Amino acid sequence: QEHEKPPTITNGELRINGKGKKLRKPRTIYSSLQLQALNQRFQQTQYLALPERAELAAQLGLTQTQVKIWFQNKRSKYKKIMKQG
């Protein structure tokens, strides 16, 4: 009889049965209103200061991390497009 160990969190990683399988959080699905607001803000500025990020996250019902990562991804996509011409 093999007992399954409960999932443990080590260095911020969720591990199952002590093995190194990382469980990812499900991908964030942004509403069209959230995307509209994020894109509009990105057109104004590609970088947000901490207070701006906190305010935008609160307005849109997102976490600051979600806003931060959205901006990082958007900048990356923007640079890629600009590189291609």
Side-chain angles (χ1 to χ4, degrees):
Q1 241 184 6
E2 202 177 300
H3 294 310
E4 286 195 11
K5 294 178 188 173
T8 58
I9 297 174
T10 311
N11 296 330
E13 295 174 359
L14 189 59
R15 299 191 181 276
I16 301 167
N17 294 335
K19 294 187 177 77
K21 293 182 183 177
K22 292 184 195 177
L23 274 192
R24 286 186 169 188
K25 285 188 178 179
R27 198 174 151 163
T28 304
I29 307 297
Y30 298 95
S31 72
S32 55
L33 281 174
Q34 288 170 330
L35 286 172
Q36 189 178 354
L38 288 163
N39 279 309
Q40 199 171 354
R41 192 59 179 270
F42 186 81
Q43 285 176 356
Q44 293 169 11
T45 179
Q46 291 186 16
Y47 293 87
L48 293 178
L50 275 169
E52 294 171 324
R53 188 172 77 202
E55 185 184 348
L56 185 59
Q59 284 174 359
L60 300 177
L62 298 169
T63 66
Q64 288 189 44
T65 303
Q66 288 171 321
V67 172
K68 179 184 81 172
I69 290 172
W70 187 91
F71 266 79
Q72 286 174 343
N73 290 339
K74 184 73 173 179
R75 282 193 300 268
S76 177
K77 287 177 191 174
Y78 180 77
K79 285 177 187 173
K80 191 175 175 182
I81 289 167
M82 296 313 276
K83 217 178 197 181
Q84 290 173 353

